[in-house]
Amino acid sequence: MASPAPHTTAPTTALAGREFVKLHGLGNDFIVIDGMREPTDMSPELVQRLCDRHFGIGADGVIIVQPGRSEQGDGYMHYFNADGTLAEMCGNGVRCTAKFLVDHQYVPPLATASEFATAPSLTVDTLSGPKRIEYATDTAGALTYATVDMGAPILTPAKVPVNAEANAVVSAQANPTLAGTAYARDVLVPTPWANAVITAVSMGNPHMIWFFDSAEAFEALPTELFAPTASRSTTTVSADTGTPSSDRTLPPEAGSALDYLARLDLNRIGAYLESNVEAFPNKANIEFVVPAADGLHMRVFERGVGETLACGTGACATGVAGALTGRTGRSTDIRLLGGTLHIEWAENGHVLMSGSATESFRGTLEL
């Protein structure tokens, strides 16, 4: 998720009785509250309480959908991480915000996208700027799938930020528009177990991508960081429809790089790296990635949240890092625990993220 930003809060009593919608993007789930008609905000303590999966509703974050702040904005995503920090951007959250605006008819109702020469679109304002979103709907007019223009990645180390020197430049093959831009690649970051080898990319929030190209790369880490068996693996889901394929639950081959990825204890090594402010001044989201024939398989430890089933900005940063390091082209599928996001690093330098947005249930806040 993104870095904390200052905000004001509304009294808890003002939120009692308010309706909410639980939405998710590939399992990255959010409590979404309608703030379009009246001023609405929330204290960090209440965010933590609502996101608690044992004593609250349970979620990776809270989104308050407010009126747009820019001239073109159809709405504004006021997003909190589960720890109560206000965030600048969330890739899965912005797709869910678009779904809320479409499903609640805050944008003019449209037929399915297939009936248009070009897809219908809207703009969601965020603290990191407006995001244009093209979307498709079902026969009832509910948004099912969206492509978000996430803007250009930030690669300059001081702006990511990461405490490292730029040691590589973007090639014309990786991206013709950003060719020549300096960035930090394969930076060694000490941990109690082994050096992490990260490439630093920001999508409005800092991401540190650690590639493991083989099983041998994982074997540099001690066995204490791996569970005996994999409880979950990255899923095989259609990047076009978000529909799981028939082999979604098949475990990876024992001893393979994907097996090691599935068994890695992110609650230890991910948490250590996320909070390493000597290397990452604003903390960071940490992506653990295995390249494969069907795309980049990724697990993520999100700043202010912990491990999540999916991270939109993390998928974007990983797609960029894959192209920067020559592991992928500019278009690739990112396979996460919750499903697949398609990432395209367009020639103009912008990153396009495509994936589903789904409603789980609705309810009323009782505080």
Side-chain angles (χ1 to χ4, degrees):
M1 299 299 172
S3 59
H7 69 285
T8 58
T9 57
T12 299
T13 53
L15 295 169
R18 295 284 291 277
E19 293 184 354
F20 70 87
V21 183
K22 183 75 175 295
L23 300 175
H24 74 87
L26 304 182
N28 191 194
D29 56 344
F30 312 99
I31 299 163
V32 184
I33 296 171
D34 191 339
M36 293 290 286
R37 295 186 175 91
E38 58 181 295
T40 304
D41 208 336
M42 191 173 291
S43 69
E45 293 76 18
L46 182 56
V47 171
Q48 294 171 21
R49 176 181 164 190
L50 293 178
C51 290
D52 190 293
R53 296 190 183 276
H54 299 287
F55 298 102
I57 299 167
D60 293 322
V62 171
I63 297 171
I64 300 175
V65 182
Q66 299 177 351
R69 297 187 173 185
S70 68
E71 183 177 348
Q72 70 270 36
D74 293 288
Y76 161 68
M77 179 182 73
H78 196 58
Y79 177 72
F80 297 93
N81 294 320
D83 67 356
T85 53
L86 185 62
E88 294 173 355
M89 183 56 193
C90 174
N92 290 315
V94 79
R95 293 200 317 279
C96 288
T97 300
K99 178 173 177 60
F100 184 91
L101 289 167
V102 171
D103 292 4
H104 289 76
Q105 298 185 352
Y106 284 118
V107 295
L110 295 167
T112 57
S114 60
E115 297 180 19
F116 291 80
T118 57
S121 66
L122 57 83
T123 298
V124 173
D125 290 332
T126 74
L127 288 178
S128 67
K131 308 300 177 185
R132 183 177 181 272
I133 302 170
E134 294 186 348
Y135 61 92
T137 59
D138 61 19
T139 54
L143 185 150
T144 57
Y145 195 79
T147 296
V148 185
D149 184 340
M150 299 286 286
I154 299 167
L155 301 174
T156 304
K159 295 181 179 180
V160 171
V162 58
N163 285 332
E165 297 295 326
N167 59 1
V169 295
V170 180
S171 68
Q173 181 178 0
N175 194 276
T177 299
L178 298 182
T181 303
Y183 69 98
R185 171 176 174 171
D186 297 336
V187 175
L188 299 182
V189 178
T191 79
W193 306 280
N195 285 333
V197 185
I198 62 95
T199 296
V201 177
S202 172
M203 292 302 305
N205 51 349
H207 292 270
M208 308 300 153
I209 300 93
W210 187 355
F211 287 104
F212 294 84
D213 294 313
S214 65
E216 289 73 21
F218 282 104
E219 290 169 0
L221 297 171
T223 56
E224 68 183 82
L225 285 178
F226 299 92
T229 58
S231 58
R232 300 185 67 101
S233 63
T234 48
T235 59
T236 303
V237 174
S238 166
D240 295 324
T241 65
T243 304
S245 69
S246 59
D247 61 344
R248 173 173 181 162
T249 58
L250 289 178
E253 179 183 354
S256 67
L258 290 178
D259 174 56
Y260 277 108
L261 178 66
R263 293 190 291 114
L264 184 62
D265 186 355
L266 264 62
N267 287 327
R268 295 181 68 187
I269 193 166
Y272 178 88
L273 287 167
E274 177 254 4
S275 59
N276 184 346
V277 293
E278 291 186 4
F280 319 128
N282 293 341
K283 298 187 177 181
N285 304 278
I286 312 297
E287 283 77 29
F288 302 81
V289 184
V290 170
D294 60 351
L296 299 176
H297 291 245
M298 180 185 107
R299 289 177 63 193
V300 57
F301 194 95
E302 292 197 44
R303 179 180 54 178
V305 182
E307 184 174 14
T308 60
L309 297 182
C311 174
T313 54
C316 293
T318 297
V320 168
L324 286 172
T325 60
R327 291 176 168 88
T328 69
R330 288 188 287 107
S331 179
T332 190
D333 287 337
I334 309 296
R335 301 191 179 276
L336 307 110
L337 294 179
T340 299
L341 289 171
H342 182 73
I343 303 300
E344 179 181 355
W345 193 11
E347 286 191 4
N348 67 359
H350 286 212
V351 180
L352 305 178
M353 172 192 64
S354 300
S356 60
T358 306
E359 180 175 326
S360 299
F361 59 86
R362 302 185 182 200
T364 303
L365 298 177
E366 295 184 2
L367 305 173

